[in-house]
Amino acid sequence: MVHQPISAFIIDDDKIFVYGFNKLLQLRHLDAQIQAFNNGKEAIDFLTNPINSQFLPDIIFLDINMPVMNGWEFLKEFEEIQSQLGKKISIYAITSSVDVNDIERAKNNTLIKDYILKPINDTHLKQIFNLHGDEYVSKAQLS
């Protein structure tokens, strides 16, 4: 069986975070193909373009606070298109927001597998990559 790298989108306007995220993956030898988007609209446009149907991600790391289309708006659009994508995609919110309203909203959103505060540490990142594809229910970690 040929090993396929995990395909992931990181949707975040913070270029320093995106750089650090990619560097962390590289340093920890996590086999991933990462594609970055500056906001939710860019990612939705990519996902809804039939030309890109063979490049859908396994995982989406989504920032909440971004210009143009924030993470909550992205999730609303994603919910409408996910059945047309033909692939199960896991979404992790990665944010610096410690606002209890955001945390509570994430708990109640069935699209979000976990709510992770920045900066993401390598242990958590490895856990996500190792558990990808399993019946990982991390909502309990939010409780």
Side-chain angles (χ1 to χ4, degrees):
M1 183 172 177
V2 177
H3 173 72
Q4 293 286 329
I6 291 176
S7 171
F9 284 3
I10 181 163
I11 306 171
D12 195 321
D13 63 322
D14 183 346
K15 293 184 183 339
I16 294 171
F17 175 77
V18 173
Y19 173 81
F21 186 89
N22 281 312
K23 198 69 175 171
L24 182 60
L25 289 173
Q26 185 181 37
L27 290 171
R28 298 299 175 226
H29 305 289
L30 295 171
D31 194 12
Q33 293 178 334
I34 303 294
Q35 186 159 354
F37 299 90
N38 289 318
N39 60 67
K41 183 172 182 340
E42 287 182 5
I44 288 293
D45 288 347
F46 184 93
L47 291 168
T48 56
N49 188 335
I51 293 172
N52 300 323
S53 64
Q54 61 188 352
F55 305 110
L56 298 178
D58 302 305
I59 302 171
I60 293 176
F61 295 99
L62 176 68
D63 188 18
I64 299 299
N65 298 312
M66 296 175 286
V68 183
M69 179 186 282
N70 68 32
W72 301 120
E73 294 165 332
F74 171 84
L75 288 166
K76 186 177 177 184
E77 294 283 327
F78 185 84
E79 188 172 26
E80 293 178 17
I81 67 165
Q82 71 173 341
S83 65
Q84 301 160 23
L85 298 177
K87 181 177 185 179
K88 184 176 183 228
I89 300 171
S90 299
I91 299 176
Y92 294 86
I94 297 184
T95 181
S96 57
S97 175
V98 292
D99 185 329
V100 292
N101 294 322
D102 284 340
I103 294 169
E104 201 57 39
R105 194 171 176 185
K107 279 184 190 179
N108 295 320
N109 189 311
T110 57
L111 294 174
I112 297 176
K113 290 193 76 102
D114 205 351
Y115 188 89
I116 303 165
L117 290 176
K118 289 180 180 176
I120 188 168
N121 65 43
D122 59 343
T123 302
H124 206 152
L125 195 58
K126 280 183 180 177
Q127 182 184 31
I128 291 169
F129 276 71
N130 288 336
L131 294 175
H132 176 72
D134 292 343
E135 301 249 340
Y136 177 55
V137 180
S138 61
K139 288 280 189 182
Q141 293 178 355
L142 295 172
S143 305

